[in-house]
Each structure stands twice: as structure tokens, then as C-alpha cells.
Amino acid sequence: MTSTSGMLVTSRSELNIEDYLPPGSSINEPRGKLRLLDLIDISPTLTEAAGAIVDDSFTRCFKSNPPEPWNWNIYLFPLWCFGVVVRYCILFPLRCLTLAFGWFIFLSTFIPVHSLLKGQDRLRKNIERVLVEMICSFFVGSWTGVVKYHGPRPSIRPKQVYVANHTSMIDFIVLQQMTAFAVIMQKHPGWVGLLQSTILESVGCIWFNRSEAKDREIVARKLRDHVQGADNNPLLIFPEGTCVNNNYTVMFKKGSFELGCTVCPIAIKYNKIFVDAFWNSRKQSFTMHLLQLMTSWAVVCEVWYLEPQTIRPGETAIEFAERVRDMISLRAGLKKVPWDGYLKYSRPSSKHSERKQQSFAESLLARLEEK
């Protein structure tokens, strides 16, 4: 707005706006004579902005909808209080013990296997694969996860990649408890980053930093190498590139569809009856997200392994990605929106803003000249 004001001030210094007003009119007229219709007629930009406010389909993709309160009267409030006591004082401690027990078993087995079987890679990888699936099962158990899987279980084959819609980092855990995937994931700080660089590294996971342009070339090369290996774990990619609130799907990145291999779609749908599984990483750490899940009644989820797809003759990678997104959206009941999820992490370029400002100034002056 500052740049727009500056542009209008410059124009005003060169032109006398009073000359463009009808006879007898003045810029100092009382405000009561200014009509909303005139404002909208002056600049289509105002209409565009009003439409964006009314129907902002981009922002809605990354908002969690809070549940409607049901403890609004004297009969329901005691039941709600009882539920809080059960969830926080009984279920939560039991779930913490379950998760701690799972970590004890995992670490007491994983560390010796990882250290002592260095020369027996095949055996070591098989044991580590089973252990990672086990700890993920303990995680799902710590949320009282109720997950229903549809379709054949993924298998280890060369030249295939699995793609899924993305709601939270727990998508990886939900899928990992059935099959040890090698996932492509953003590098995270803290204890999550420690797990990434140690335990998850053993199943062939690939990490990247979204802000590093060089990482894209490195990841692309690792992807091509991974899908060629006959003994590598199945490759899992979330082509949206960011977490979406499980009501929508944003555009799929085409990189997953340029590998020249079979693409196996996975549709994930969470039931929000007990808790919203969407993770808004800008407002909530993953630790707090896990605590939210562990203090809910249950996490209810359905997973569909859909029919594998290959690129059709004459079909571009972008068209292939859209066709797979159609399949996932239809199966999970999600709405498609034409947005790039990476816009969540970036601001509009200055050139785009300047073009909008120039268009606004030109339309305003043209309207004044008509007067």
C-alpha cells in the first residue's frame, strides 16, 4: 500500500486531480456523496480483493476447523469434565507408558543390531526394517489409533514409487507401521531431526532443506538411484510438499512423476470425530501435536492403496500428476484446488506487487479522465 500511495502522490504532483472532476465537484466534498458503486467502478482491483476475502480457497487449505462445543448445558458439562479426567489422568499416562515400553524394546535391539551386524547388510536391513515398523506401531497405539487399510500391502519392487496426500507427519507413521518406506521429508530440528539422522536413515529415508536450492538437485539424483535398487525399501513421497488440512489437495510436484517408474497412489482420510490430525507447523510444534493426539480419545483413519499408474503416451509429467491427484482426491473425498503448496512458505514477488499497483494507478487515472 505504501508503494501505491507513493505512485499516486507522484501522479498528483504532475496532474491536477481537480481538473478531472465534474463541474462543481471537489475532492473536499462531504463523504456522504461517495458511493460504493463508484469505488468498485474505479478499480477492478477492489472487486478482486473483495472476492479473495469472501472465497480464499488457498488459506482454507491450511486452517484447522475447531470442533463445535457440545458441553453447553448443565446436563452435558459434567460428562465433558468426566471425559477430560479420563483422557488426561488415565489414558494419557497409560499411553506414555506404552510408548516408553516400545522405545525400550526398540533401542535395546536396534543399537546392537546396527553396531554388530555391519558386515551383514542384508540381515541388518531386514531386522532394522521390522524394528522401525514395530516402533511406528507403538506410536499408533499411543494415540489409540484405529486405522483401516484397503488394498494390497506395498511390496519391495524396483522402479516404483508411492505417492500420498499429506496431512501431518503422522501420515508417515501410519503408513510405516504396515511397510517400512523410504520417505522423502523436510529436515526438522530437535529430537525429530535426531531420529531422522539416525534411526530413519537406516531405512533409506532422504532429507532435504526447503530453503536450499542445491538440495533439489541432490534429492533428484538420490531419487533416481533409489528407485533402481531391487532391495531398497519402497519409496514414499508426499508430492504436495506441505501439510494440508485433509479437506483439500493442492498441486502435486511433478518430480515424483518424472522418474520413469510406476506410481502407486495412496489416499489417506482422517475422521475428525475425536481429533483433527492436521498439523499446522507454523502454529504448533510436532511435540505439542503428538500431545494433542495422545490426549484425545482416538485417531481414526482410513488408508487406500490404489491401482498403480504409469504415464500414458503423449502425457506430460504435470498431466500425469494431476491424473493421480484426481484419483486420490476422489477416493478420500477431498476437494482439489489449483494452488502450489509452497506459496505457504513464500510471499508474492515485488514485481507482482508493482504490476498490481501500476494497474490500480492506471485504472484510477483513466476513470478520473472520463469524469
Side-chain angles (χ1 to χ4, degrees):
M1 293 301 295
T2 304
S3 301
T4 305
S5 302
M7 187 179 299
L8 294 178
V9 170
T10 303
S11 302
R12 187 175 176 182
S13 63
E14 298 173 355
L15 301 171
N16 186 2
I17 295 182
E18 294 279 1
D19 295 338
Y20 294 90
L21 299 177
S25 300
S26 170
I27 59 174
N28 296 320
E29 282 186 349
R31 293 184 180 181
K33 295 185 178 182
L34 184 63
R35 296 177 301 172
L36 178 61
L37 181 61
D38 292 333
L39 284 176
I40 297 179
D41 190 33
I42 286 174
S43 174
T45 306
L46 294 178
T47 307
E48 181 182 344
I53 294 173
V54 172
D55 185 17
D56 185 1
S57 59
F58 176 76
T59 303
R60 284 187 296 179
C61 295
F62 309 104
K63 282 186 176 180
S64 56
N65 299 320
E68 295 185 6
W70 58 271
N71 56 336
W72 47 270
N73 64 26
I74 192 64
Y75 306 107
L76 297 176
F77 185 71
L79 293 176
W80 178 81
C81 292
F82 176 73
V84 171
V85 172
V86 171
R87 287 188 290 116
Y88 282 85
C89 299
I90 300 176
L91 291 182
F92 180 61
L94 289 175
R95 290 166 175 174
C96 288
L97 289 174
T98 300
L99 190 57
F101 179 68
W103 274 114
F104 173 77
I105 296 176
F106 175 82
L107 293 176
S108 61
T109 310
F110 181 87
I111 294 175
V113 168
H114 189 73
S115 303
L116 301 178
L117 297 180
K118 289 290 186 180
Q120 305 179 44
D121 290 344
R122 188 179 184 85
L123 177 60
R124 176 175 55 83
K125 287 182 178 180
N126 289 335
I127 297 176
E128 289 175 346
R129 184 184 298 128
V130 172
L131 289 174
V132 169
E133 292 175 1
M134 183 202 69
I135 190 61
C136 288
S137 297
F138 273 101
F139 265 107
V140 175
S142 70
W143 320 320
T144 314
V146 182
V147 186
K148 188 175 182 179
Y149 298 90
H150 307 267
R153 178 173 175 170
S155 58
I156 298 177
R157 294 179 183 174
K159 294 188 176 181
Q160 70 175 8
V161 58
Y162 289 82
V163 297
N165 57 300
H166 197 22
T167 304
S168 166
M169 207 188 318
I170 71 168
D171 299 338
F172 164 73
I173 300 175
V174 168
L175 297 176
Q176 198 81 351
Q177 75 161 346
M178 284 291 290
T179 303
F181 285 101
V183 71
I184 313 301
M185 189 183 294
Q186 162 77 17
K187 183 68 176 177
H188 291 274
W191 66 271
V192 177
L194 179 62
L195 295 182
Q196 287 178 321
S197 59
T198 53
I199 297 171
L200 296 181
E201 195 89 4
S202 64
V203 292
C205 295
I206 302 172
W207 318 117
F208 67 91
N209 192 335
R210 191 176 281 111
S211 61
E212 292 290 337
K214 294 184 297 183
D215 280 9
R216 298 180 184 178
E217 300 177 3
I218 298 173
V219 168
R221 186 179 68 253
K222 288 182 177 180
L223 290 180
R224 288 190 290 268
D225 294 341
H226 187 95
V227 296
Q228 300 300 326
D231 295 329
N232 291 335
N233 291 323
L235 185 63
L236 173 64
I237 301 177
F238 299 106
E240 290 174 298
T242 187
C243 294
V244 186
N245 64 8
N246 210 227
N247 292 323
Y248 302 87
T249 56
V250 297
M251 292 171 57
F252 281 9
K253 302 295 180 184
K254 65 176 183 177
S256 313
F257 305 87
E258 293 178 323
L259 300 174
C261 58
T262 302
V263 174
C264 305
I266 302 176
I268 306 173
K269 181 64 177 179
Y270 292 94
N271 190 325
K272 301 180 182 180
I273 184 172
F274 295 123
V275 67
D276 187 356
F278 170 58
W279 177 39
N280 189 339
S281 58
R282 289 196 163 189
K283 294 184 178 180
Q284 188 182 46
S285 67
F286 187 63
T287 302
M288 295 305 299
H289 182 56
L290 285 180
L291 288 176
Q292 179 184 357
L293 300 180
M294 293 176 68
T295 53
S296 68
W297 287 110
V299 175
V300 183
C301 174
E302 287 196 74
V303 177
W304 292 270
Y305 298 108
L306 304 180
E307 184 179 352
Q309 302 294 312
T310 56
I311 192 167
R312 295 169 179 171
E315 189 176 41
T316 65
I318 295 177
E319 292 170 342
F320 186 22
E322 282 301 297
R323 180 160 60 87
V324 172
R325 182 162 78 112
D326 287 339
M327 293 179 61
I328 293 175
S329 301
L330 180 63
R331 178 65 273 183
L334 307 176
K335 299 177 183 178
K336 288 178 55 182
V337 292
W339 298 112
D340 185 344
Y342 275 14
L343 292 175
K344 176 183 175 181
Y345 301 98
S346 60
R347 302 183 64 180
S349 66
S350 58
K351 290 184 179 180
H352 178 75
S353 301
E354 290 171 2
R355 283 197 299 269
K356 287 289 185 182
Q357 293 165 1
Q358 182 68 29
S359 174
F360 180 86
E362 290 174 355
S363 61
L364 178 59
L365 290 176
R367 179 62 179 167
L368 291 174
E369 288 175 355
E370 292 176 4
K371 292 290 186 178

